Amino acid sequence: MRSLVQREGLEGQIRLDSAGTGAWHIGSAPDRRARGAAASRGIELVGRARQVTPEDFEAFDLILAMDRENERLLRGMARDEQERSKVRLLREFDPASAGDGDLEVPDPYYGAAGGFDEVLDLVQAACEGLLTEIRSGALA
């Protein structure tokens, strides 16, 4: 999403961050396989892992989950219905996934080598759909 926002010149209008629901990777750089798959597409993955905080629900209009388990955990962290309504599955924004019961992004960490490319395909499609919705004002 960050590369799409930069490509469109929207850095001053859209604030992004990335965080996990668990603490096991705090401080770690993105997985080398993920960085390699992204680099092959001209995308640089930077930063260090952090855990979602209650303040994230105040700071952001949208909290995106990659799968139903993380969606459940995020909704559980929310303090009220307004905060819970900010939690959505990323693939809800992929027009090709509309009506598809499987909106989860699979975890490629323990899978085959090509899993990171598959995940990037899914994430890119969803991020492009999300950017379209943001630009149209549908999420305002």
Side-chain angles (χ1 to χ4, degrees):
M1 185 68 176
R2 188 168 282 114
S3 67
L4 289 174
V5 168
Q6 289 172 346
R7 182 187 78 199
E8 299 295 321
L10 299 171
E11 301 94 333
Q13 298 171 28
I14 298 174
R15 183 170 160 229
L16 303 168
D17 202 356
S18 177
T21 55
W24 47 90
H25 293 294
I26 289 176
S28 298
D31 184 281
R32 66 174 174 74
R33 297 165 295 173
R35 288 193 319 259
S40 72
R41 298 170 188 226
I43 299 169
E44 182 181 12
L45 298 182
V46 296
R48 298 281 174 192
R50 71 174 188 86
Q51 191 170 10
V52 175
T53 66
E55 292 77 24
D56 289 329
F57 288 88
E58 296 171 17
F60 296 98
D61 297 324
L62 193 59
I63 309 284
L64 298 170
M66 296 295 204
D67 58 43
R68 298 243 182 243
E69 176 63 16
N70 284 296
E71 178 188 38
R72 183 188 65 75
L73 291 169
L74 289 164
R75 287 181 190 263
M77 291 177 66
R79 294 170 285 211
D80 58 31
E81 188 54 41
Q82 179 183 358
E83 288 184 354
R84 275 187 288 284
S85 71
K86 293 181 177 187
V87 178
R88 306 269 301 270
L89 286 169
L90 175 64
R91 288 196 62 212
E92 290 178 35
F93 297 98
D94 177 1
S97 296
D100 188 350
D102 181 16
L103 294 177
E104 295 199 9
V105 175
D107 185 348
Y109 195 78
Y110 295 108
F116 285 90
D117 286 311
E118 175 190 351
V119 164
L120 274 172
D121 290 341
L122 296 173
V123 168
Q124 275 192 284
C127 288
E128 288 171 7
L130 173 57
L131 186 57
T132 298
E133 287 206 29
I134 290 170
R135 288 187 128 174
S136 73
L139 294 175

